[in-house]
């Protein structure tokens, strides 16, 4: 369906208990079906929306930053993306699919979309859970920003491939230490937070790892 001229892919059912949102790039669309099938192994009723972004590096980065690999820098337009989510996507889906007013909203994503989900939780208390698979927590300034603007979601899933921190890229190699620190921080604040290590590098099983993140965020953990 079109939301604000964007062709969003919608899966799941009306009247659902959970609304799952994921910002997606062109490179992810071919694996969305398999991701949703894996999420559906959960016992919970959900409506899932895959929301496309035109420029991955610009739309999902919270502030401008120089290129880390290749020549493409980061435009820092995450605030516009979040506004689109909160002002157009969520109200439209609630209305179209008769979602309960207190539907539990989980924002998730992979890589830079995972970082966007974490950052969005510092800006809005709309999300009960964050499903961040291999999030780009190496992003310049992120760890300092989150220290000053703590995330508000109470259920946070983090994951990383065990080879990701062994990259030769000096900026991205910080991802391992940063995700360990973020996990410890959230636990100390009393959040329900998991950090899961997966075998392989950044691009292995992205769809299944994102699905696992969403499934975890829908479970109650005591």
């Amino acid at each position: 369906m079109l939301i604000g001229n964007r062709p969003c892919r919608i899966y799941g059912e009306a009247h659902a208990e959970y609304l799952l949102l994921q910002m997606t790039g062109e490179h992810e669309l071919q694996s969305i079906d398999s991701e949703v099938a894996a999420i559906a192994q959960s016992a919970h009723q959900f409506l899932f929306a895959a929301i496309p972004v035109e420029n991955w590096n610009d739309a999902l980065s919270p502030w401008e930053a120089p290129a880390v690999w290749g020549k493409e820098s980061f435009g820092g337009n995450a605030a516009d993306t979040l506004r689109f989510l909160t002002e157009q996507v969520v109200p439209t889906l609630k209305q179209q699919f008769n979602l309960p007013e207190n539907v539990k909203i989980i924002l998730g994503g992979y890589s830079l979309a995972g970082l966007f989900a974490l950052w969005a939780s510092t800006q809005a208390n709309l999300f009960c859970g964050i499903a961040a698979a291999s999030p780009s927590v190496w992003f310049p300034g992120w760890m300092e920003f989150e220290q000053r603007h703590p995330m508000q979601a109470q259920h946070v899933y983090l994951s990383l491939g065990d080879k990701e921190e062994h990259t030769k890229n000096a900026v991205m190699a910080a991802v391992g230490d940063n995700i360990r620190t973020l996990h410890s921080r959230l636990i100390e604040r009393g959040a329900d937070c998991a950090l899961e290590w997966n075998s392989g590098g950044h691009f292995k099983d992205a769809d299944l790892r994102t699905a696992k993140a969403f499934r975890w965020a829908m479970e109650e953990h005591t």
Side-chain angles (χ1 to χ4, degrees):
M1 64 180 285
L2 281 177
I3 303 179
N5 296 325
R6 292 200 208 185
C8 300
R9 291 199 195 180
I10 313 296
Y11 301 80
E13 49 204 309
H15 313 291
E17 179 187 2
Y18 287 93
L19 173 58
L20 313 181
L21 304 172
Q22 180 179 339
M23 309 311 297
T24 54
E26 195 69 39
H27 59 289
E28 294 179 308
L29 290 179
Q30 64 226 35
S31 60
I32 283 289
D33 287 357
S34 62
E35 179 187 325
V36 174
I39 296 173
Q41 294 169 15
S42 163
H44 296 281
Q45 288 188 319
F46 66 87
L47 187 77
F48 177 95
I51 303 130
V53 295
E54 278 187 25
N55 187 311
W56 181 260
N57 278 19
D58 289 351
L60 300 176
S61 52
W63 45 81
E64 292 183 11
V68 173
W69 70 95
K71 294 180 178 175
E72 194 177 353
S73 59
F74 299 91
N77 294 333
D80 293 338
T81 304
L82 180 58
R83 198 173 305 115
F84 175 68
L85 266 188
T86 58
E87 295 179 5
Q88 295 194 56
V89 174
V90 170
T92 299
L93 294 175
K94 276 187 172 182
Q95 183 178 14
Q96 291 274 57
F97 294 94
N98 291 321
L99 298 176
E101 191 50 44
N102 62 345
V103 65
K104 297 170 184 170
I105 302 176
I106 297 170
L107 178 61
Y110 198 84
S111 193
L112 198 57
L115 177 77
F116 170 78
L118 297 172
W119 171 84
S121 181
T122 71
Q123 303 296 300
N125 62 2
L126 180 67
F127 311 107
C128 75
I130 298 297
S134 285
S136 305
V137 292
W138 50 260
F139 193 79
W142 159 250
M143 293 300 289
E144 297 81 2
F145 179 87
E146 199 281 333
Q147 184 83 55
R148 298 191 307 271
H149 308 275
M151 291 173 55
Q152 301 176 60
Q154 281 306 296
H155 305 282
V156 182
Y157 175 95
L158 304 168
S159 73
L160 207 64
D162 57 13
K163 292 182 179 172
E164 293 193 54
E165 62 186 322
H166 302 300
T167 174
K168 293 186 172 68
N169 185 302
V171 175
M172 298 173 77
V175 70
D177 287 343
N178 285 3
I179 208 162
R180 291 183 192 94
T181 299
L182 183 61
H183 176 244
S184 299
R185 235 185 239 179
L186 290 163
I187 294 290
E188 283 169 16
R189 293 180 196 146
D192 169 29
C193 181
L195 170 56
E196 187 161 354
W197 292 86
N198 299 284
S199 64
H202 185 63
F203 297 102
K204 186 181 178 191
D205 298 331
D207 52 345
L208 299 180
R209 283 161 61 174
T210 310
K212 185 190 282 189
F214 276 115
R215 282 203 312 268
W216 185 94
M218 284 191 286
E219 298 302 325
E220 297 296 328
H221 308 96
T222 51

